Amino acid sequence: MSTPIYYIKSGNLDFGDKKIFEELEFYLYPGDKISLVGKNGCGKSSLMKVITGEYELDGGQLFIDPRVKIGYLKQDIDKNISGSVYDYILENLSFEEFKFKADIILEGLDLDGNLNLENLSGGQKRRAFLARALTISPDILLLDEPTNHLDIKSVLWLENYINNYSGSVILISHDRKFLENTSNKIWWLDR
């Protein structure tokens, strides 16, 4: 078996007196496609925020390969963004290096990169956020409800994209068929 690129052992996370995780343990390997499932409020999004470094564990051991790049599509969208879709997606990236890839992704998501973010609907903004997460080609891609606001054609395109993606992916979705079509492992968060 290959070496994990990320793991948590004996992980604990608390918000005040509410325990989110206690003695959490998992290992993420290159190429894993994981469905993260559990009841609403069980900590799925919180786990993704631990992986991104937005939240710190209250206890336990965490390892991340120092060469690993993480991409994250949050469930909530930032409504206070401006500029073109291209400006947003390619921010802090080499335009020459990533523009072609961004175009392929935008075509799959049926979104024009020249549109102004301030004029987009919530669903279109969400597509722009998804395009940004995909364009950077991270080693670990975290997608929290990626099919929200996508039509069938775009969902099928995203399934194909994830199935051909060389990095590791962790998915949260209420769309069971989407999870079945894109995952090779299931992680259950339970109490």
Side-chain angles (χ1 to χ4, degrees):
M1 178 166 259
S2 62
T3 305
I5 56 174
Y6 188 101
Y7 66 74
I8 290 176
K9 293 181 184 177
S10 302
N12 298 309
L13 180 66
D14 304 318
F15 294 143
D17 60 350
K18 182 178 180 187
K19 289 200 175 299
I20 306 298
F21 308 125
E22 189 172 22
E23 296 299 313
L24 177 71
E25 184 167 332
F26 71 84
Y27 301 84
L28 183 62
Y29 294 92
D32 278 349
K33 305 288 191 295
I34 296 171
S35 292
L36 183 58
V37 295
K39 291 181 179 178
N40 286 343
C42 73
K44 298 183 297 290
S45 295
S46 294
L47 178 57
M48 286 193 167
K49 290 176 181 176
V50 168
I51 294 170
T52 65
E54 187 175 335
Y55 290 170
E56 285 187 36
L57 291 175
D58 294 310
Q61 181 183 0
L62 181 148
F63 166 80
I64 182 168
D65 184 314
R67 298 165 293 183
V68 162
K69 183 170 43 173
I70 297 174
Y72 181 34
L73 172 69
K74 293 182 179 187
Q75 187 172 1
D76 302 321
I77 61 169
D78 180 0
K79 295 179 171 57
N80 299 320
I81 54 173
S82 60
S84 75
V85 171
Y86 279 130
D87 291 340
Y88 177 71
I89 292 173
L90 299 171
E91 182 181 18
N92 301 321
L93 298 175
S94 162
F95 185 84
E96 294 77 21
E97 184 179 348
F98 288 92
K99 168 76 166 52
F100 180 70
K101 181 167 190 174
D103 284 338
I104 291 170
I105 292 167
L106 288 170
E107 181 179 339
L109 296 174
D110 193 27
L111 187 63
D112 183 342
N114 295 305
L115 294 174
N116 190 317
L117 288 162
E118 295 168 327
N119 301 328
L120 299 183
S121 68
Q124 289 172 312
K125 285 181 183 177
R126 183 127 176 100
R127 287 173 188 244
F129 287 18
L130 176 57
R132 179 176 173 155
L134 299 177
T135 299
I136 65 170
S137 299
D139 304 288
I140 301 173
L141 178 59
L142 306 172
L143 300 175
D144 195 342
E145 297 292 350
T147 60
N148 284 2
H149 304 290
L150 295 184
D151 58 17
I152 298 293
K153 180 182 170 194
S154 297
V155 170
L156 293 174
W157 177 86
L158 182 59
E159 285 180 3
N160 185 58
Y161 187 91
I162 290 170
N163 287 327
N164 290 299
Y165 192 69
S166 61
S168 302
V169 182
I170 301 177
L171 302 157
I172 298 172
S173 179
H174 287 93
D175 184 339
R176 288 186 184 184
K177 190 68 174 166
F178 174 75
L179 293 177
E180 287 173 12
N181 292 341
T182 54
S183 305
N184 59 22
K185 292 183 181 179
I186 298 173
W187 288 353
W188 288 90
L189 285 180
D190 185 24
R191 294 182 291 283

